[in-house]
Amino acid sequence: MINDSFGSDNHSGVHTEILKAMEKVNVGFSIAYGDDEYTKRAIEKFYEHFGREIDVYFLYNGTATNILGLKAVVDSFNSIICAETAHLNVHECCGPEKFIGCKLTTIKTDDGKLTVEKIKPYLTGFGDPHVAQPKVISITQPTELGTLYSVKEIKKLADFAHKNKMLLHVDGARLSNAAAALNLGFKEITKDAGVDLLSFGGTKNGMMFGEAVVFFDKKLSKNFEYIRKQGMQLASKMRYISAQFEAFLSNDLWLKNAKHANEMAKLLYEKIKNITEIKVTQKVECNAVFVMIPKKYIPTIRSKYFFHVFDEMNSIARFMCSYNTTRKDVIVLSEIIKKAVLEK
Amino acid sequence: MINDSFGSDNHSGVHTEILKAMEKVNVGFSIAYGDDEYTKRAIEKFYEHFGREIDVYFLYNGTATNILGLKAVVDSFNSIICAETAHLNVHECCGPEKFIGCKLTTIKTDDGKLTVEKIKPYLTGFGDPHVAQPKVISITQPTELGTLYSVKEIKKLADFAHKNKMLLHVDGARLSNAAAALNLGFKEITKDAGVDLLSFGGTKNGMMFGEAVVFFDKKLSKNFEYIRKQGMQLASKMRYISAQFEAFLSNDLWLKNAKHANEMAKLLYEKIKNITEIKVTQKVECNAVFVMIPKKYIPTIRSKYFFHVFDEMNSIARFMCSYNTTRKDVIVLSEIIKKAVLEK
Amino acid sequence: MINDSFGSDNHSGVHTEILKAMEKVNVGFSIAYGDDEYTKRAIEKFYEHFGREIDVYFLYNGTATNILGLKAVVDSFNSIICAETAHLNVHECCGPEKFIGCKLTTIKTDDGKLTVEKIKPYLTGFGDPHVAQPKVISITQPTELGTLYSVKEIKKLADFAHKNKMLLHVDGARLSNAAAALNLGFKEITKDAGVDLLSFGGTKNGMMFGEAVVFFDKKLSKNFEYIRKQGMQLASKMRYISAQFEAFLSNDLWLKNAKHANEMAKLLYEKIKNITEIKVTQKVECNAVFVMIPKKYIPTIRSKYFFHVFDEMNSIARFMCSYNTTRKDVIVLSEIIKKAVLEK
Amino acid sequence: MINDSFGSDNHSGVHTEILKAMEKVNVGFSIAYGDDEYTKRAIEKFYEHFGREIDVYFLYNGTATNILGLKAVVDSFNSIICAETAHLNVHECCGPEKFIGCKLTTIKTDDGKLTVEKIKPYLTGFGDPHVAQPKVISITQPTELGTLYSVKEIKKLADFAHKNKMLLHVDGARLSNAAAALNLGFKEITKDAGVDLLSFGGTKNGMMFGEAVVFFDKKLSKNFEYIRKQGMQLASKMRYISAQFEAFLSNDLWLKNAKHANEMAKLLYEKIKNITEIKVTQKVECNAVFVMIPKKYIPTIRSKYFFHVFDEMNSIARFMCSYNTTRKDVIVLSEIIKKAVLEK
């Protein structure tokens, strides 16, 4: 049997604290669709972390969180600027285009990160009805390539967006890993840095399902209840999402989980960085390690540990660590890689 | 504190057998998005119940199951014929229109049931490009008014649909209750009766979340994987839906749950049918009891047991029973109703 | 050869005054997409008729004018209330659903006219995210059944709409015929009566192509330039629409054309109203005559003059008169009808 | 007054032969929506040029022709590969995304032309439901940069598309100019080269309005009548589009017009190619001349002749010639450019 500890952080199971929290709310009847006490408590937790001037909504998954959050602030004739590697662009099967009607304007990057300089040339056609009107800059934090935006970098993008009457969206499917890596709170790396709306992830850091859209300006969310329902993402038995978020955001569970995942990635990096036949292609700042491995070695390694080849053309593998990736698995994997490469 | 045992069958918690099954699969890593062993086993259970010539996909909720299933077989220039009371029409916030682009042609009924006679006048404009082309007849089994289609009635609708090159869709959010009431298997009341595609519900009968689209003709589902993903309904940690369905479809759990809910509705009906001030407005065939109660009595009753006033204009209350509605609650409720009405 | 003078008012050709106006602007180069002098002049004509507080946009056809105008004021989670017979509902191939995403809530009527009383039962679910939110009442003036709303009736609907935070839209594909019949100006029967936005028709009253969306509140139109372009309705050589509208709205051309069409319908009515075998089913208030004619007579009559059988089930024919329907054709048609019926 | 002979080929008026043809059909009544004799005759003309195995539909404008033609063959979960400069991508206000739901995958080019080599890296993710499925390669002939594909180049792209189970679409808004430049017939540069569907333009070469979708495989067009109507592009008085196309495709009118426009562009090129301060940036193969002109000279030149600055950042002007651009205007323009540049 293949071990897939490094396939993705959503190959992990549910953290026991979270599962316990779900069991705990499984008593009696409870009003559906989020008007229950458990959901109020979970929202209170979001207030603790982000302040009370937010509007937060729970959804089933990350793709929907991105698409429906953006739908709330983007018209069909708008464009969203994002990196070519953005999940929004690559892995949502043109859901944004389908559900919003808008265009994604994609920008090539080496590290998955947008900068003001890279965006500038694409901000044309304001006021010209032939041209999709730029409305949102969407960044992923950490990026799909495991890299991080500093608070300063986010602020710069936010200022630039606002100067152009645009908004800054953060796809934070792994925001916990970013906060842990930056050693900062959620609010400091989002609201305080000028972010306008956030996709906040739970599933990739120990939850079973459930993500949240966080609006930092309540004017942006005024229609979101309808958008969520029409967008097929209003959970009837909401309490089971809420219970997860309450546990996730209590007692630093999110932080412990994220820190561990990040550390495992760092450890893997340390163990393999000196193998000359392979090459780590991105900074290891969170819980992912991207490694160029000659094609011939891949089957051997993969026969022991499952992982995704992220970039087939350049034979770049992605090793993703999770809250429950063990130190032992990391070490064994690094040895398998070493052995595969040397044996050849 | 108000007891809401009769608010909706999705106010219930998760059946302990199902919760146990979810805990059981919470071990180690598992490939995401449905390529896992647990999902294979759950699909196998569907084969047991429906035969192997089906294609089945798991989604998060019922609204999505209806909309995305229909999206697979309906073009944007098509119309779907349904009852005016259909969930599809009333309670999905025009999600079908938004996501499919199509028209819902709605038909007034007294009991929530469509018939060939009622549909016929609406089947016009075939071949006329100005007119939305009728493509699907969608029925709910049991209906939103708690009534049931017999197998014969379904067959008649299916034959009629096929004769007109249309398809028959069943919204089976509560299909278990129908099967239990008809004392028949799932296959007998769907595939064998000519149904082409089915929204199969779990959440309203003891599951936490998770519904299924069942295609009875594999040609209909050929693009469904893309539709599900684009439709924001592909669960990453799929095993937790699959585990639920496996338990739900094993050891007659679905049947026991549904039977009990149906019995509680019958019991409530027996207890209140002779109260002259109120009137049961629909046949009690499954787990719902619709009762016209003069407006003035409603606050008193509702202060003890939560329920929905389904039709404000005619003051018709809906009492929905669930797998965990207790005999005691039914009796207490019936006494509260009696008392409220007599005291006046 | 069959004469189709009564098929539809869009079977007519282009009025010579209008064709001349098009030829007149066919000189040299002209900036495209509406930034030209001809378009400014045509808009000035709209100001003359409707006052200057309007925003007006030219489009190719009536279907687009309805759909895109409504798109400007309706969100995807909204519903539009209209008569079951509305062009919007019956003859736009679910374009409104596709392009706006919204629901059409349709109301049965005998004469194609909505009233406050008929609408009231459908205004439910405000604030409930499961339910499409009512946003617009859309009426057709004159209706698809040739009947007319009085100014008083429109005012009542407008007040009712506004009281419910909704808007009143008028599909005025034949608004000229209504104004002519009511002996009032365009402004009096729209803006002054509380209408919020208008689809203003030209093609059915002597133009070649070209319709206009008129917004009576500029806040409603703020994104319309993008909506029109994205909606595939921005004409490059706009001057040829503008020239038509300028001529149409000058020297009472619209009025003369409409009056004549209305008179021809009245004449037809007078000539056939006493034939006992047939029955005029709607008031003849504009340019349409609806007549129940037993099925057996229809082929004979139709072999001389083309017309549409509007309602196959009840065998109701529609005779539509146009600006160039001749008195002679009306008389000959009436005689053919008489003869067909008597010969039997 | 500014002369805008070089602004765009849609700043031209209507060719007199075409206007005459429109007047000629302006007699009596004619069945609407394309079921008329004039439309049959126009379609016959298309058969003459493209062979009889085609399906052709008339629409109002080019944006719609691209979007609705592609809608017929593309599902919402598909992607369309096109050049970053494609009209489809830049100048249709994300209409393709809105109306089809699909993704445009855009490729950077220097000359507006796609090649197999450029496309290859983007053809990934076939069969992966997370990824938009590539379905169409869309090229513009001649390109938005005035360059031409040879028949050999088109064939290569068509073969490549078909090998990948994709289709080749040609945006032929200016196809006449391409055919004239290549000295080939329409069929030779489309159907015979493997093109699957074509947007065929008329407006930019002397028509008033009206474009056509040509399907080279009738299976592709089976739903197009509904798509056109729902897409708000079914003209009621169709005869006025048909009459234009009949004239356009008769007596080599299209060819004479296109040849002249091409010649004028060549002439302009000859006149300015040796001015050292400016630089022609694209091959002049059809009717457009792209010239890098230092920013400071532009106002002077533009005060005499209107033209678009196509690329603000690099100060690249586009001079577009038309069927009625005069030799004199070309010479005067070239002298103005020369003078502006020298005077500085």
Side-chain angles (χ1 to χ4, degrees):
Chain A
M1 200 196 130
I2 297 165
N3 187 324
D4 63 5
S5 318
F6 301 98
S8 173
D9 30 12
N10 61 30
H11 291 199
S12 291
V14 182
H15 192 279
T16 44
E17 289 300 314
I18 286 169
L19 200 53
K20 257 190 247 165
M22 297 173 86
E23 292 164 19
K24 222 168 140 188
V25 301
N26 194 39
V27 281
F29 297 90
S30 177
I31 199 93
Y33 302 115
D35 292 332
D36 59 277
E37 286 310 305
Y38 311 108
T39 302
K40 282 201 190 99
R41 271 158 42 190
I43 290 174
E44 200 58 42
K45 279 286 165 196
F46 273 86
Y47 291 160
E48 278 179 28
H49 285 273
F50 287 101
R52 304 194 80 83
E53 304 78 34
I54 62 163
D55 230 2
V56 59
Y57 298 88
F58 302 155
L59 285 78
Y60 289 112
N61 67 0
T63 293
T65 304
N66 277 339
I67 294 174
L68 298 187
L70 287 164
K71 160 88 178 147
V73 302
V74 166
D75 273 305
S76 62
F77 49 78
N78 285 138
S79 66
I80 297 168
I81 315 274
C82 64
E84 206 175 74
T85 45
H87 193 270
L88 201 62
N89 181 46
V90 183
H91 284 112
E92 302 187 351
C93 199
C94 45
E97 288 91 343
K98 166 74 178 132
F99 207 76
I100 310 178
C102 67
K103 177 181 289 303
L104 301 186
T105 300
T106 60
I107 295 180
K108 262 197 204 317
T109 70
D110 289 328
D111 56 1
K113 289 169 65 179
L114 292 183
T115 61
V116 169
E117 291 62 42
K118 277 185 180 143
I119 297 170
K120 261 184 190 162
Y122 290 90
L123 292 197
T124 59
F126 284 110
D128 176 353
H130 295 77
V131 176
Q133 299 294 297
K135 183 66 187 291
V136 167
I137 297 170
S138 175
I139 61 173
T140 311
Q141 168 79 319
T143 71
E144 291 78 5
L145 299 178
T147 54
L148 262 180
Y149 288 91
S150 70
V151 169
K152 205 176 141 190
E153 287 171 327
I154 297 174
K155 274 189 177 148
K156 235 173 135 178
L157 286 165
D159 288 348
F160 179 66
H162 300 154
K163 225 173 54 193
N164 286 286
K165 296 190 178 159
M166 297 171 68
L167 301 170
L168 183 64
H169 166 255
V170 168
D171 177 350
R174 296 181 177 102
L175 196 74
S176 304
N177 300 91
L182 291 167
N183 202 20
L184 290 168
F186 290 133
K187 185 161 172 279
E188 293 169 276
I189 63 170
T190 55
K191 186 170 194 296
D192 294 352
V195 172
D196 297 290
L197 74 160
L198 167 69
S199 301
F200 183 83
T203 314
K204 287 188 161 101
N205 195 26
M207 281 175 52
M208 184 187 283
F209 67 109
E211 314 272 310
V213 185
V214 186
F215 293 95
F216 296 118
D217 175 348
K218 292 187 184 187
K219 278 196 296 289
L220 300 178
S221 58
K222 71 174 198 289
N223 293 320
F224 196 73
E225 297 228 39
Y226 304 110
I227 291 170
R228 177 173 62 176
K229 174 62 199 180
Q230 183 175 53
M232 307 172 279
Q233 287 285 326
L234 179 57
S236 58
K237 298 185 175 176
M238 185 77 87
R239 57 174 142 164
Y240 300 97
I241 298 182
S242 304
Q244 292 182 71
F245 269 127
E246 198 190 358
F248 185 78
L249 292 174
S250 297
N251 307 319
D252 282 348
L253 179 58
W254 68 271
L255 182 59
K256 288 175 216 156
N257 283 357
K259 258 189 179 160
H260 177 80
N262 291 356
E263 279 166 16
M264 290 304 99
K266 278 274 181 336
L267 178 63
L268 178 57
Y269 170 67
E270 291 299 327
K271 293 285 176 198
I272 64 173
K273 70 177 176 188
N274 294 323
I275 306 176
T276 50
E277 285 80 1
I278 65 174
K279 195 190 152 196
V280 176
T281 60
Q282 297 290 340
K283 281 195 215 167
V284 179
E285 300 187 298
C286 287
N287 60 326
V289 187
F290 287 83
V291 194
M292 192 185 290
I293 302 178
K295 268 204 176 65
K296 56 188 175 187
Y297 306 133
I298 284 182
T300 315
I301 306 169
R302 225 179 183 177
S303 69
K304 299 292 167 46
Y305 279 99
F306 178 77
F307 58 88
H308 285 288
V309 177
F310 191 80
D311 173 348
E312 289 281 355
M313 212 162 17
N314 298 302
S315 197
I316 295 176
R318 185 191 74 169
F319 299 96
M320 191 58 90
C321 298
S322 171
Y323 80 91
N324 62 349
T325 304
T326 64
R327 190 167 290 268
K328 195 186 141 200
D329 274 334
V330 172
I331 291 168
V332 174
L333 169 66
S334 69
E335 280 163 6
I336 285 168
I337 294 174
K338 240 177 271 178
K339 213 174 135 203
V341 163
L342 293 178
E343 259 178 6
K344 206 50 229 254
Chain B
M1 200 193 130
I2 297 164
N3 187 323
D4 63 3
S5 318
F6 302 97
S8 174
D9 32 11
N10 61 28
H11 291 197
S12 292
V14 182
H15 192 278
T16 44
E17 289 300 314
I18 286 169
L19 199 54
K20 258 189 248 164
M22 297 173 86
E23 292 163 19
K24 222 169 142 189
V25 301
N26 193 40
V27 282
F29 298 89
S30 176
I31 198 94
Y33 303 114
D35 292 333
D36 59 276
E37 286 310 305
Y38 311 109
T39 302
K40 281 200 191 100
R41 271 158 40 190
I43 290 173
E44 200 57 42
K45 279 287 162 195
F46 273 86
Y47 291 160
E48 278 180 27
H49 286 272
F50 287 100
R52 304 193 81 82
E53 304 79 34
I54 62 163
D55 230 3
V56 59
Y57 298 88
F58 302 156
L59 287 78
Y60 288 112
N61 67 1
T63 293
T65 304
N66 277 339
I67 294 175
L68 299 187
L70 287 164
K71 160 89 178 147
V73 302
V74 166
D75 273 306
S76 62
F77 49 79
N78 284 138
S79 65
I80 297 168
I81 314 273
C82 63
E84 207 176 72
T85 45
H87 193 270
L88 201 62
N89 182 45
V90 183
H91 285 112
E92 302 187 352
C93 199
C94 44
E97 289 91 342
K98 166 75 179 131
F99 207 76
I100 309 177
C102 67
K103 178 182 289 301
L104 300 186
T105 300
T106 59
I107 295 180
K108 263 196 204 317
T109 70
D110 289 327
D111 57 0
K113 290 170 66 178
L114 292 182
T115 62
V116 169
E117 289 63 40
K118 278 184 179 143
I119 297 170
K120 261 184 189 163
Y122 290 90
L123 293 197
T124 58
F126 283 110
D128 176 353
H130 295 79
V131 176
Q133 299 294 299
K135 183 67 188 292
V136 168
I137 297 170
S138 176
I139 61 173
T140 310
Q141 168 79 321
T143 71
E144 290 79 4
L145 299 178
T147 53
L148 263 181
Y149 289 91
S150 70
V151 169
K152 205 176 141 193
E153 287 171 327
I154 297 174
K155 275 190 176 148
K156 235 173 135 179
L157 286 165
D159 288 348
F160 179 67
H162 301 153
K163 226 173 52 193
N164 285 286
K165 297 192 178 158
M166 296 172 67
L167 301 170
L168 183 62
H169 166 254
V170 169
D171 176 350
R174 298 183 176 99
L175 196 74
S176 304
N177 301 90
L182 292 167
N183 203 19
L184 291 168
F186 290 133
K187 184 161 174 279
E188 292 168 277
I189 63 171
T190 56
K191 186 172 194 296
D192 294 352
V195 173
D196 297 289
L197 75 159
L198 168 69
S199 300
F200 182 83
T203 314
K204 288 189 161 101
N205 194 26
M207 279 175 54
M208 183 188 285
F209 67 109
E211 313 271 310
V213 185
V214 186
F215 294 96
F216 296 117
D217 175 347
K218 291 187 184 188
K219 277 196 298 289
L220 301 179
S221 58
K222 72 174 197 290
N223 293 319
F224 195 74
E225 298 228 39
Y226 304 109
I227 292 170
R228 178 173 61 175
K229 174 63 199 177
Q230 183 175 55
M232 306 172 280
Q233 287 285 325
L234 179 57
S236 57
K237 298 185 173 176
M238 185 78 87
R239 56 173 141 166
Y240 299 97
I241 298 182
S242 304
Q244 292 182 70
F245 269 127
E246 198 190 358
F248 185 79
L249 293 174
S250 296
N251 309 317
D252 283 346
L253 179 58
W254 67 271
L255 182 59
K256 288 175 216 157
N257 283 356
K259 258 190 180 158
H260 176 79
N262 291 357
E263 279 166 17
M264 291 305 99
K266 279 274 183 335
L267 178 63
L268 178 58
Y269 170 67
E270 291 300 328
K271 292 286 176 198
I272 65 172
K273 69 176 178 189
N274 294 324
I275 307 177
T276 50
E277 286 80 0
I278 65 175
K279 195 192 153 194
V280 176
T281 59
Q282 297 289 340
K283 279 194 215 169
V284 178
E285 300 186 299
C286 286
N287 59 327
V289 187
F290 287 82
V291 194
M292 192 183 292
I293 303 179
K295 267 202 176 68
K296 54 189 174 184
Y297 306 133
I298 285 183
T300 315
I301 306 168
R302 225 177 183 178
S303 68
K304 299 293 167 45
Y305 279 98
F306 178 76
F307 58 90
H308 285 289
V309 177
F310 192 80
D311 173 347
E312 288 281 356
M313 213 161 15
N314 299 302
S315 197
I316 296 174
R318 185 190 75 170
F319 299 96
M320 190 60 90
C321 298
S322 172
Y323 80 92
N324 60 352
T325 303
T326 63
R327 189 167 292 268
K328 195 187 141 200
D329 274 333
V330 173
I331 290 168
V332 175
L333 169 66
S334 68
E335 280 162 7
I336 285 169
I337 294 174
K338 239 177 274 179
K339 214 174 134 203
V341 163
L342 293 178
E343 261 179 2
K344 203 54 229 258
Chain C
M1 199 194 128
I2 296 164
N3 187 323
D4 62 4
S5 317
F6 301 97
S8 173
D9 31 13
N10 61 29
H11 291 199
S12 291
V14 183
H15 192 278
T16 44
E17 288 301 313
I18 287 170
L19 200 54
K20 257 189 247 165
M22 297 173 86
E23 292 164 19
K24 221 167 142 189
V25 301
N26 194 39
V27 280
F29 297 90
S30 176
I31 200 92
Y33 302 116
D35 292 331
D36 59 277
E37 287 309 305
Y38 310 110
T39 302
K40 283 201 190 98
R41 271 158 41 190
I43 290 174
E44 200 58 41
K45 279 287 164 194
F46 273 86
Y47 291 160
E48 277 178 29
H49 285 274
F50 287 101
R52 304 194 81 82
E53 303 78 33
I54 62 163
D55 230 2
V56 59
Y57 298 87
F58 302 156
L59 287 77
Y60 289 112
N61 67 0
T63 293
T65 304
N66 277 339
I67 294 174
L68 298 187
L70 287 164
K71 160 89 178 146
V73 302
V74 165
D75 272 307
S76 62
F77 50 77
N78 284 137
S79 66
I80 296 169
I81 315 274
C82 64
E84 207 175 72
T85 45
H87 193 269
L88 202 63
N89 181 46
V90 183
H91 284 112
E92 302 187 351
C93 199
C94 44
E97 289 91 343
K98 166 74 179 134
F99 207 76
I100 309 178
C102 68
K103 177 181 289 304
L104 301 186
T105 300
T106 60
I107 296 181
K108 261 196 204 318
T109 70
D110 289 327
D111 56 0
K113 289 169 65 178
L114 293 182
T115 62
V116 169
E117 291 61 41
K118 277 183 180 144
I119 297 170
K120 262 185 189 161
Y122 290 90
L123 292 197
T124 59
F126 283 111
D128 176 353
H130 295 78
V131 176
Q133 299 294 298
K135 183 66 187 292
V136 167
I137 297 170
S138 175
I139 60 173
T140 311
Q141 168 78 320
T143 72
E144 291 78 5
L145 298 178
T147 52
L148 262 181
Y149 288 91
S150 70
V151 169
K152 205 176 141 190
E153 287 170 328
I154 298 174
K155 274 189 178 150
K156 235 173 136 177
L157 287 165
D159 288 348
F160 179 67
H162 300 153
K163 224 172 55 192
N164 286 287
K165 296 189 179 162
M166 296 172 68
L167 301 170
L168 182 63
H169 166 255
V170 169
D171 176 350
R174 296 182 177 100
L175 195 74
S176 305
N177 300 91
L182 292 167
N183 202 19
L184 291 168
F186 290 133
K187 185 161 172 279
E188 292 169 276
I189 64 171
T190 56
K191 186 171 194 295
D192 294 352
V195 173
D196 297 290
L197 74 159
L198 167 69
S199 300
F200 183 82
T203 315
K204 287 189 161 102
N205 194 26
M207 281 175 52
M208 183 187 283
F209 67 110
E211 314 271 311
V213 185
V214 185
F215 294 96
F216 295 118
D217 175 347
K218 291 188 184 187
K219 278 196 296 289
L220 301 177
S221 58
K222 71 175 198 290
N223 292 320
F224 196 73
E225 298 228 39
Y226 304 109
I227 291 170
R228 178 173 60 176
K229 175 62 199 177
Q230 182 174 55
M232 307 172 279
Q233 287 285 325
L234 179 57
S236 57
K237 298 186 175 176
M238 185 77 86
R239 57 174 141 166
Y240 300 97
I241 299 182
S242 304
Q244 293 182 71
F245 268 128
E246 198 191 357
F248 185 77
L249 292 174
S250 298
N251 308 319
D252 282 347
L253 179 59
W254 67 271
L255 182 59
K256 288 175 218 157
N257 283 357
K259 258 189 181 161
H260 176 79
N262 291 357
E263 279 165 17
M264 290 304 99
K266 279 272 182 335
L267 178 63
L268 178 58
Y269 171 65
E270 291 300 328
K271 293 285 176 198
I272 64 173
K273 70 177 177 189
N274 294 325
I275 306 176
T276 49
E277 285 81 0
I278 66 175
K279 194 191 154 196
V280 176
T281 60
Q282 298 290 339
K283 280 195 216 167
V284 179
E285 300 187 298
C286 287
N287 60 327
V289 187
F290 286 82
V291 194
M292 193 183 291
I293 303 178
K295 267 201 177 65
K296 54 189 173 185
Y297 306 134
I298 285 183
T300 316
I301 305 169
R302 226 179 183 177
S303 69
K304 299 294 166 45
Y305 279 99
F306 178 76
F307 57 89
H308 285 288
V309 177
F310 191 80
D311 173 348
E312 289 281 356
M313 212 162 15
N314 299 301
S315 197
I316 295 175
R318 185 190 75 170
F319 297 98
M320 191 59 90
C321 299
S322 171
Y323 81 90
N324 60 349
T325 303
T326 64
R327 190 167 290 269
K328 196 186 140 199
D329 275 334
V330 172
I331 291 168
V332 174
L333 169 66
S334 69
E335 279 163 7
I336 286 168
I337 294 174
K338 241 178 270 179
K339 214 174 134 201
V341 163
L342 293 178
E343 262 178 3
K344 205 47 234 261
Chain D
M1 201 193 132
I2 298 164
N3 188 323
D4 64 2
S5 317
F6 301 97
S8 174
D9 32 11
N10 61 30
H11 291 198
S12 293
V14 182
H15 192 279
T16 44
E17 289 300 313
I18 286 169
L19 199 54
K20 258 190 247 164
M22 297 173 86
E23 292 163 19
K24 223 168 139 189
V25 301
N26 194 39
V27 282
F29 298 90
S30 176
I31 200 94
Y33 302 115
D35 291 333
D36 58 277
E37 287 310 305
Y38 311 108
T39 303
K40 282 200 190 101
R41 271 157 42 189
I43 291 173
E44 200 57 41
K45 279 287 163 194
F46 274 86
Y47 291 160
E48 277 179 28
H49 286 272
F50 287 100
R52 303 194 82 82
E53 304 79 34
I54 62 162
D55 230 2
V56 59
Y57 298 88
F58 302 156
L59 286 78
Y60 289 113
N61 67 1
T63 293
T65 304
N66 277 339
I67 294 175
L68 299 186
L70 287 164
K71 161 88 178 146
V73 303
V74 166
D75 272 306
S76 62
F77 49 78
N78 285 138
S79 66
I80 296 169
I81 314 273
C82 64
E84 206 176 73
T85 45
H87 193 270
L88 202 62
N89 182 45
V90 182
H91 285 112
E92 302 187 351
C93 199
C94 44
E97 289 91 342
K98 166 73 180 133
F99 207 76
I100 309 177
C102 68
K103 178 182 289 301
L104 301 186
T105 300
T106 60
I107 296 180
K108 262 194 204 319
T109 70
D110 289 327
D111 56 0
K113 289 170 65 179
L114 293 182
T115 62
V116 169
E117 290 64 41
K118 278 185 180 143
I119 297 170
K120 261 184 189 162
Y122 290 89
L123 292 197
T124 58
F126 284 111
D128 176 353
H130 295 78
V131 176
Q133 298 294 297
K135 183 66 186 293
V136 167
I137 297 170
S138 176
I139 61 173
T140 310
Q141 169 77 322
T143 71
E144 290 78 3
L145 299 178
T147 54
L148 262 180
Y149 288 91
S150 70
V151 168
K152 205 175 141 191
E153 286 170 328
I154 298 175
K155 273 189 177 149
K156 236 174 134 178
L157 286 165
D159 288 349
F160 179 67
H162 300 154
K163 225 173 54 194
N164 285 286
K165 296 191 178 160
M166 296 171 68
L167 301 170
L168 183 63
H169 166 254
V170 169
D171 177 349
R174 297 182 177 100
L175 196 73
S176 305
N177 300 91
L182 291 167
N183 203 19
L184 292 168
F186 290 133
K187 184 161 175 277
E188 291 168 278
I189 63 171
T190 55
K191 186 170 195 294
D192 294 353
V195 172
D196 298 289
L197 75 159
L198 167 70
S199 301
F200 183 83
T203 315
K204 287 189 161 101
N205 195 25
M207 280 176 53
M208 183 188 285
F209 66 109
E211 313 272 309
V213 185
V214 186
F215 294 95
F216 296 117
D217 175 347
K218 291 188 184 186
K219 278 197 296 289
L220 301 178
S221 58
K222 71 173 198 290
N223 292 320
F224 196 74
E225 298 229 40
Y226 304 110
I227 290 171
R228 178 173 60 175
K229 174 64 199 177
Q230 183 174 54
M232 306 171 279
Q233 287 285 325
L234 179 56
S236 57
K237 297 185 175 177
M238 185 77 88
R239 56 173 142 166
Y240 300 97
I241 299 182
S242 304
Q244 293 182 70
F245 269 127
E246 198 190 0
F248 185 79
L249 293 173
S250 297
N251 307 319
D252 283 347
L253 179 59
W254 67 271
L255 182 59
K256 288 175 217 158
N257 283 356
K259 257 190 181 159
H260 176 79
N262 292 355
E263 279 165 17
M264 291 305 99
K266 279 272 182 338
L267 178 63
L268 178 59
Y269 170 66
E270 292 300 328
K271 293 284 176 198
I272 65 172
K273 71 177 176 189
N274 293 324
I275 306 176
T276 50
E277 286 79 1
I278 64 173
K279 195 190 153 196
V280 175
T281 59
Q282 297 290 340
K283 279 196 215 168
V284 178
E285 300 187 299
C286 288
N287 60 327
V289 186
F290 287 81
V291 194
M292 192 184 293
I293 303 178
K295 266 202 177 67
K296 55 189 173 187
Y297 306 134
I298 284 182
T300 315
I301 305 169
R302 225 178 184 177
S303 68
K304 299 293 166 45
Y305 279 99
F306 179 77
F307 58 89
H308 285 288
V309 177
F310 192 80
D311 174 346
E312 288 281 355
M313 213 162 13
N314 299 302
S315 197
I316 295 174
R318 185 190 75 170
F319 299 97
M320 191 59 91
C321 298
S322 172
Y323 80 91
N324 61 350
T325 303
T326 63
R327 190 167 292 268
K328 195 187 139 198
D329 275 333
V330 173
I331 291 168
V332 175
L333 169 66
S334 69
E335 279 162 8
I336 285 169
I337 294 174
K338 237 177 274 179
K339 213 173 134 203
V341 164
L342 293 178
E343 261 179 2
K344 206 50 230 236

